[in-house]
């Protein structure tokens, strides 16, 4: 599962990201509200862990805008505000769960697992479909016309990004951020290699990953 952690306290964020990664979650981080919202709007995340008090943009405001855009990604809201009315406000804005600081890492992991189970039930296993392609990110498999193709984890994450943004140009920088993570030292040449791998596996006449010279790539179908 791929998580987005939006938390401005960098030490806390780094510690939580480390714990989540040790428990086999892929984690991207943002330290302010505007960056966090932009990342959340890509739609590639299974769960968003969102702090309430953030620089640039407050957590509840971000959450309301995501829900208004129809983005239904489960959100676990973190807050130091423990008043009942604050929790009610967050839940009414669209939060799926609420965790009061300070909290134990065991409780955080339990709530993330619960949200993951809920999401899989709601989305039928979190499968994606575009132009006849059916991607199962959990199994790292894509199916078309009855043919099932096994993908590596990175190939699956790359195809998921394309399928969540069908027909849209995705820059090489966006791919690096979403597939390898903001803190990765992977170079853009690696993106070209994995796009090449994915093209070879998606050998269908009506599906193509087009190169937009100088910008990035676009998944197209007909």
């Amino acid at each position: 599962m791929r998580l987005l952690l939006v938390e401005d306290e960098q030490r806390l964020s780094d510690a939580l990201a480390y714990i989540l990664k040790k428990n086999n979650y892929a984690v991207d981080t943002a330290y302010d509200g505007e960056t966090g919202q932009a990342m959340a709007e890509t739609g590639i995340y299974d769960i968003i862990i969102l702090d309430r008090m953030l620089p640039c943009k407050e957590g509840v405001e971000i959450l309301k805008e995501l829900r208004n855009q129809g983005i239904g990604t489960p959100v676990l809201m973190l807050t130091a505000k423990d008043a009942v009315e604050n929790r009610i406000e967050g839940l009414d804005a669209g939060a799926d769960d609420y965790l009061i600081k300070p909290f134990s890492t065991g409780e955080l992991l339990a709530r993330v697992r619960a949200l993951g189970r809920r999401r899989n039930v709601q989305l039928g296993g979190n499968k994606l479909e575009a132009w006849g392609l059916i991607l199962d990110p959990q199994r790292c498999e894509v199916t078309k016309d009855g043919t099932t193709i096994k993908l590596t984890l990175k190939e699956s994450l790359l195809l998921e990004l394309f399928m969540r943004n069908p027909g849209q140009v995705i820059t090489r920088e966006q791919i690096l951020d979403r597939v390898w993570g903001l803190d990765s030292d992977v170079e853009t040449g690696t993106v070209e290699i994995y796009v090449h791998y994915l093209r070879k596996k998606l050998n269908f006449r009506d599906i193509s990953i087009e190169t937009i010279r100088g910008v990035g790539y676009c998944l197209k179908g007909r």
Side-chain angles (χ1 to χ4, degrees):
M1 293 181 66
R2 193 168 190 83
L3 311 185
L4 172 61
L5 173 61
V6 189
E7 166 63 61
D8 65 313
E9 296 180 43
Q10 190 163 347
R11 286 187 179 180
L12 175 60
S13 177
D14 292 347
L16 294 178
Y18 175 79
I19 291 165
L20 290 164
K21 289 175 182 177
K22 289 285 285 184
N23 283 271
N24 300 316
Y25 294 104
V27 184
D28 291 335
T29 56
Y31 302 118
D32 66 81
E34 289 184 353
T35 302
Q37 181 173 336
M39 294 173 69
E41 287 175 349
T42 63
I44 67 171
Y45 297 101
D46 297 292
I47 296 172
I48 299 169
I49 302 173
L50 179 64
D51 189 32
R52 177 162 182 156
M53 301 300 294
L54 292 165
C56 301
K57 203 162 194 178
E58 202 261 357
V60 170
E61 184 182 354
I62 294 169
L63 185 52
K64 287 179 179 178
E65 292 190 20
L66 293 177
R67 296 306 187 230
N68 286 339
Q69 294 176 40
I71 297 172
T73 308
V75 172
L76 171 60
M77 182 160 279
L78 307 180
T79 182
K81 295 184 175 182
D82 60 356
V84 173
E85 57 267 26
N86 295 132
R87 280 177 278 174
I88 291 173
E89 183 184 15
L91 293 168
D92 284 346
D96 296 88
D97 201 356
Y98 221 89
L99 193 54
I100 307 297
K101 296 177 180 179
F103 49 82
S104 71
T105 56
E107 184 177 9
L108 172 69
L109 291 170
R111 289 174 185 259
V112 168
R113 289 193 296 270
L115 288 179
R117 290 193 297 269
R118 189 184 310 172
R119 177 175 175 83
N120 289 338
V121 169
Q122 290 174 342
L123 298 185
N126 198 25
K127 292 182 180 180
L128 298 171
E129 184 170 0
W131 296 302
L133 288 173
I134 302 173
L135 174 66
D136 187 336
Q138 291 184 326
R139 294 180 178 271
C140 293
E141 292 178 346
V142 62
T143 302
K144 189 176 189 303
D145 301 330
T147 300
T148 298
I149 301 164
K150 189 67 178 177
L151 305 173
T152 66
L153 175 59
K154 295 302 184 186
E155 290 168 349
S156 179
L157 290 171
L158 178 58
L159 182 56
E160 181 177 354
L161 177 58
F162 285 136
M163 291 180 67
R164 288 189 183 276
N165 300 276
Q168 298 183 34
V169 178
I170 310 296
T171 68
R172 292 175 178 82
E173 290 73 22
Q174 287 174 321
I175 293 171
L176 283 172
D177 287 348
R178 305 301 185 263
V179 176
W180 279 270
L182 291 170
D183 299 326
S184 172
D185 57 0
V186 172
E187 297 181 353
T188 55
T190 302
V191 174
E192 296 175 10
I193 293 170
Y194 274 86
V195 169
H196 171 71
Y197 290 157
L198 198 54
R199 280 175 173 152
K200 289 185 67 176
K201 290 187 175 182
L202 300 181
N203 187 26
F204 302 105
R205 290 185 177 181
D206 55 348
I207 297 290
S208 63
I209 301 174
E210 297 190 4
T211 299
I212 311 302
R213 192 172 298 278
V215 181
Y217 303 93
C218 178
L219 178 68
K220 291 189 176 181
R222 56 182 184 275

